[in-house]
Amino acid sequence: MSRIAYVNGQYLPHSRAGVSIDDRALYFGDGVYEVCEVREGRLIDEPRHLARLRNSLAAVRIAPPVVEPALKRILREVVERNRVRDGIVYLQISRGVARRDHGFPQIPVKASLTVTARSIDRAKGEANAERGVKVITRPDERWAHPRIKTLQLLPNVLAKQAAREAGAYEAWLVGADGLITEGASTNAWIVTEQGVLTTRTADEAILHGVTRATLLDVAAALGLSVELRAFSREEALAAREAFFSSASTIAMPVVTIDGLPIGDGRPGPVTLALRRRFHEMAART
Amino acid sequence: MSRIAYVNGQYLPHSRAGVSIDDRALYFGDGVYEVCEVREGRLIDEPRHLARLRNSLAAVRIAPPVVEPALKRILREVVERNRVRDGIVYLQISRGVARRDHGFPQIPVKASLTVTARSIDRAKGEANAERGVKVITRPDERWAHPRIKTLQLLPNVLAKQAAREAGAYEAWLVGADGLITEGASTNAWIVTEQGVLTTRTADEAILHGVTRATLLDVAAALGLSVELRAFSREEALAAREAFFSSASTIAMPVVTIDGLPIGDGRPGPVTLALRRRFHEMAART
């Protein structure tokens, strides 16, 4: 079965789906996106993803190309047409198509909308979570607003590639102040030596992860001690547990950082409890 | 006459020219570009543009999709097919088309190459230069490597739009240290109170402008006193002259910054001399 993509009103074979060379996403990375988990055919945490999308669009002043009920229908249609039971649905909105000029198009144009979906092997994710994965640290070289989920992702690409070349799964980014901001495509967490679940406050320097928010709900339900503050690489290395979160990885245990073991070098119990309870909570939000 | 674009080996009507939705320029801004002036049918400063392109590609580890002699032929072909006598030719190279994944494609793919060209009304540029243009200042919110000419341009887009909404032509970006880095799409220059032509050293924080380099050659030929160092907004406000440079604007006089007049509020003699002599020097490099 060939994949189907939605592009500006049309459902097309993915391999033939394209956008104009004048799309501002291509020229400037002038757009925003969302990635939503699909599990057993359902969109996980959809209201939070749509709320964040509204925030991203407002932050960069792009008018939504379709109303939210229509967008929800398109997301479902793409998931169904691709027969995705477990996987992700991806949506991207750019400022639209216009002759190349840094300023916004002087004659207003409609924003471009692309939606794709694909299956992900859940067993592979579970196997990673059982073993735990490796992380490296890298300088955070991104622009001033990682909070906004934009296409300004080249620094993330370079960090992720550095991780892969080091045999790691993810790169955690370290700010000029020595504190970890987040991963190249995930939020960063530790369980401190004192047993406190710790993740950075949702400030301008990190993406306000949807999975992060729902994991905080899980932590509250579990009665865990939680602190929202930034931590350094050194503190992470001394932690009992470390993990990262995203829509496609949920809570993923980290067993080494820069080659040094975290805790006993195996996935930690807090991480695994959060991971186990995640979908139960997500079903309620 | 309809415009023609080159996309990955084909010359296509611009209005129908597109790229795959899986192009990494779209997903990540994972690509680099160049803009070269065309004047009387000739490419201005081409060797410097091609040298910078090589540097950009190497910095982000993209293998050139075509050899340089082929690229030069394509640039000329696009200029000719669009009958551009005075204008610009634009080229963009992305890491290519692959399923969305932050790391580089695991199965190597060929980089994508797009080339477009368009005419620019020289008289309009000359009229701007006679009157001089307005600049505003904005915080520099870009990533850590503006030196590399990448598609990470959303902060530049937002700054340029802010300039337009303030009735200005360009935004000069101010770093955390209070020093101006460069404009949203141009390099920044002043002639100080002491009469010294001053522009920032070509460091990591600015694009190493081709027009900037050639203007420095002109300055040397004119025997001007030159200093390569960063300057603040305050120093710019106290300067005799201010201007910015790019392939499409050459040396463009700045007559106000944040609404405050520079010098006597008219284009300065040093700026105009540099502008006048620019093409004479460019023809030699």
Short mmCIF file of all heavy atoms in Angstrom, two decimals, chain A residues 173-202:
data_model
loop_
_atom_site.label_atom_id
_atom_site.label_comp_id
_atom_site.label_asym_id
_atom_site.label_seq_id
_atom_site.Cartn_x
_atom_site.Cartn_y
_atom_site.Cartn_z
N LEU A 173 21.02 19.27 25.04
CA LEU A 173 21.64 20.54 24.70
C LEU A 173 21.92 21.33 25.96
O LEU A 173 21.08 21.42 26.86
CB LEU A 173 20.70 21.31 23.77
CG LEU A 173 20.24 20.50 22.54
CD1 LEU A 173 19.24 21.30 21.71
CD2 LEU A 173 21.43 20.08 21.69
N VAL A 174 23.12 21.89 26.03
CA VAL A 174 23.57 22.61 27.23
C VAL A 174 23.69 24.09 26.90
O VAL A 174 24.41 24.47 25.97
CB VAL A 174 24.92 22.06 27.72
CG1 VAL A 174 25.35 22.76 29.01
CG2 VAL A 174 24.85 20.55 27.92
N GLY A 175 22.98 24.92 27.65
CA GLY A 175 23.00 26.36 27.43
C GLY A 175 24.31 26.99 27.88
O GLY A 175 25.15 26.34 28.51
N ALA A 176 24.46 28.27 27.57
CA ALA A 176 25.68 29.00 27.93
C ALA A 176 25.86 29.04 29.45
O ALA A 176 26.98 29.19 29.95
CB ALA A 176 25.61 30.42 27.37
N ASP A 177 24.78 28.87 30.20
CA ASP A 177 24.85 28.89 31.67
C ASP A 177 25.19 27.52 32.26
O ASP A 177 25.18 27.34 33.48
CB ASP A 177 23.52 29.40 32.26
CG ASP A 177 22.33 28.54 31.82
OD1 ASP A 177 22.54 27.51 31.14
OD2 ASP A 177 21.18 28.90 32.15
N GLY A 178 25.48 26.55 31.39
CA GLY A 178 25.85 25.22 31.87
C GLY A 178 24.67 24.33 32.20
O GLY A 178 24.86 23.18 32.61
N LEU A 179 23.47 24.86 32.04
CA LEU A 179 22.27 24.06 32.36
C LEU A 179 21.71 23.42 31.09
O LEU A 179 21.75 24.03 30.01
CB LEU A 179 21.22 24.95 33.03
CG LEU A 179 21.67 25.56 34.36
CD1 LEU A 179 20.64 26.57 34.87
CD2 LEU A 179 21.93 24.47 35.40
N ILE A 180 21.21 22.21 31.23
CA ILE A 180 20.61 21.51 30.11
C ILE A 180 19.27 22.18 29.78
O ILE A 180 18.46 22.45 30.69
CB ILE A 180 20.43 20.01 30.45
CG1 ILE A 180 21.83 19.34 30.47
CG2 ILE A 180 19.52 19.31 29.45
CD1 ILE A 180 21.86 18.01 31.16
N THR A 181 19.05 22.44 28.51
CA THR A 181 17.74 22.96 28.10
C THR A 181 16.82 21.77 27.83
O THR A 181 15.89 21.52 28.58
CB THR A 181 17.85 23.89 26.88
OG1 THR A 181 18.60 23.24 25.86
CG2 THR A 181 18.54 25.20 27.26
N GLU A 182 17.12 21.01 26.78
CA GLU A 182 16.31 19.85 26.42
C GLU A 182 17.08 19.03 25.40
O GLU A 182 18.22 19.36 25.07
CB GLU A 182 14.96 20.30 25.87
CG GLU A 182 15.07 21.14 24.60
CD GLU A 182 13.73 21.68 24.11
OE1 GLU A 182 12.71 21.02 24.31
OE2 GLU A 182 13.74 22.76 23.49
N GLY A 183 16.47 17.97 24.89
CA GLY A 183 17.09 17.18 23.84
C GLY A 183 16.84 17.77 22.47
O GLY A 183 16.05 18.70 22.32
N ALA A 184 17.52 17.21 21.46
CA ALA A 184 17.37 17.71 20.09
C ALA A 184 15.91 17.58 19.62
O ALA A 184 15.45 18.39 18.83
CB ALA A 184 18.31 16.97 19.14
N SER A 185 15.20 16.57 20.08
CA SER A 185 13.78 16.44 19.72
C SER A 185 12.96 15.88 20.89
O SER A 185 11.91 15.28 20.67
CB SER A 185 13.62 15.54 18.49
OG SER A 185 14.03 14.22 18.78
N THR A 186 13.44 16.08 22.10
CA THR A 186 12.77 15.54 23.30
C THR A 186 12.98 16.50 24.47
O THR A 186 13.87 17.34 24.43
CB THR A 186 13.39 14.18 23.69
OG1 THR A 186 14.77 14.38 24.06
CG2 THR A 186 13.31 13.15 22.56
N ASN A 187 12.18 16.33 25.53
CA ASN A 187 12.44 17.05 26.79
C ASN A 187 13.28 16.15 27.70
O ASN A 187 13.21 14.93 27.63
CB ASN A 187 11.13 17.42 27.49
CG ASN A 187 10.38 18.55 26.81
OD1 ASN A 187 9.22 18.42 26.45
ND2 ASN A 187 11.03 19.70 26.63
N ALA A 188 14.09 16.80 28.56
CA ALA A 188 15.05 16.08 29.42
C ALA A 188 14.57 16.04 30.87
O ALA A 188 14.06 17.03 31.39
CB ALA A 188 16.41 16.77 29.34
N TRP A 189 14.74 14.88 31.51
CA TRP A 189 14.28 14.67 32.89
C TRP A 189 15.35 13.90 33.68
O TRP A 189 16.07 13.09 33.11
CB TRP A 189 13.04 13.80 32.94
CG TRP A 189 11.85 14.21 32.15
CD1 TRP A 189 11.75 14.26 30.79
CD2 TRP A 189 10.56 14.57 32.67
NE1 TRP A 189 10.47 14.65 30.43
CE2 TRP A 189 9.72 14.83 31.57
CE3 TRP A 189 10.05 14.69 33.96
CZ2 TRP A 189 8.39 15.22 31.70
CZ3 TRP A 189 8.72 15.06 34.11
CH2 TRP A 189 7.90 15.34 32.98
N ILE A 190 15.36 14.13 34.98
CA ILE A 190 16.14 13.26 35.88
C ILE A 190 15.30 12.97 37.13
O ILE A 190 14.34 13.69 37.44
CB ILE A 190 17.49 13.87 36.32
CG1 ILE A 190 17.30 15.26 36.96
CG2 ILE A 190 18.47 13.94 35.16
CD1 ILE A 190 18.57 15.84 37.59
N VAL A 191 15.70 11.89 37.83
CA VAL A 191 15.27 11.68 39.21
C VAL A 191 16.54 11.90 40.04
O VAL A 191 17.53 11.18 39.86
CB VAL A 191 14.71 10.26 39.43
CG1 VAL A 191 14.31 10.06 40.90
CG2 VAL A 191 13.53 10.01 38.51
N THR A 192 16.53 12.96 40.85
CA THR A 192 17.76 13.38 41.53
C THR A 192 18.21 12.35 42.57
O THR A 192 17.46 11.43 42.91
CB THR A 192 17.57 14.73 42.25
OG1 THR A 192 16.61 14.55 43.29
CG2 THR A 192 17.11 15.82 41.30
N GLU A 193 19.43 12.56 43.09
CA GLU A 193 19.95 11.73 44.18
C GLU A 193 18.96 11.67 45.34
O GLU A 193 18.86 10.67 46.05
CB GLU A 193 21.26 12.34 44.70
CG GLU A 193 22.47 12.04 43.85
CD GLU A 193 23.74 12.60 44.49
OE1 GLU A 193 23.91 13.84 44.44
OE2 GLU A 193 24.53 11.81 45.03
N GLN A 194 18.21 12.79 45.53
CA GLN A 194 17.23 12.85 46.63
C GLN A 194 15.87 12.24 46.22
O GLN A 194 14.92 12.27 47.00
CB GLN A 194 17.01 14.32 47.07
CG GLN A 194 18.23 14.94 47.74
CD GLN A 194 19.33 15.28 46.74
OE1 GLN A 194 19.08 15.68 45.61
NE2 GLN A 194 20.59 15.09 47.16
N GLY A 195 15.81 11.75 44.98
CA GLY A 195 14.58 11.10 44.55
C GLY A 195 13.51 12.04 44.01
O GLY A 195 12.34 11.67 43.91
N VAL A 196 13.92 13.25 43.65
CA VAL A 196 12.94 14.22 43.14
C VAL A 196 12.91 14.18 41.60
O VAL A 196 13.95 14.36 40.95
CB VAL A 196 13.26 15.65 43.63
CG1 VAL A 196 12.23 16.65 43.10
CG2 VAL A 196 13.34 15.69 45.14
N LEU A 197 11.74 13.98 41.05
CA LEU A 197 11.56 14.03 39.59
C LEU A 197 11.73 15.48 39.15
O LEU A 197 11.01 16.36 39.63
CB LEU A 197 10.16 13.52 39.23
CG LEU A 197 9.81 13.52 37.74
CD1 LEU A 197 10.69 12.57 36.96
CD2 LEU A 197 8.34 13.18 37.55
N THR A 198 12.67 15.72 38.26
CA THR A 198 13.06 17.09 37.94
C THR A 198 13.12 17.31 36.43
O THR A 198 13.73 16.51 35.71
CB THR A 198 14.45 17.40 38.56
OG1 THR A 198 14.38 17.13 39.97
CG2 THR A 198 14.88 18.83 38.33
N THR A 199 12.46 18.35 35.98
CA THR A 199 12.55 18.75 34.57
C THR A 199 12.46 20.26 34.51
O THR A 199 11.93 20.91 35.42
CB THR A 199 11.48 18.05 33.71
OG1 THR A 199 11.81 18.21 32.33
CG2 THR A 199 10.08 18.63 33.96
N ARG A 200 13.02 20.80 33.46
CA ARG A 200 13.12 22.26 33.35
C ARG A 200 11.73 22.91 33.32
O ARG A 200 10.80 22.36 32.72
CB ARG A 200 13.89 22.62 32.08
CG ARG A 200 14.24 24.09 31.97
CD ARG A 200 15.08 24.37 30.72
NE ARG A 200 15.42 25.77 30.63
CZ ARG A 200 16.66 26.26 30.70
NH1 ARG A 200 17.69 25.46 30.86
NH2 ARG A 200 16.89 27.55 30.60
N THR A 201 11.62 24.05 33.94
CA THR A 201 10.41 24.87 33.82
C THR A 201 10.14 25.16 32.34
O THR A 201 11.07 25.33 31.57
CB THR A 201 10.65 26.20 34.58
OG1 THR A 201 10.51 25.94 35.96
CG2 THR A 201 9.70 27.29 34.16
N ALA A 202 8.89 25.23 31.99
CA ALA A 202 8.52 25.51 30.60
C ALA A 202 8.76 26.98 30.30
O ALA A 202 7.86 27.81 30.35
CB ALA A 202 7.06 25.13 30.37
#
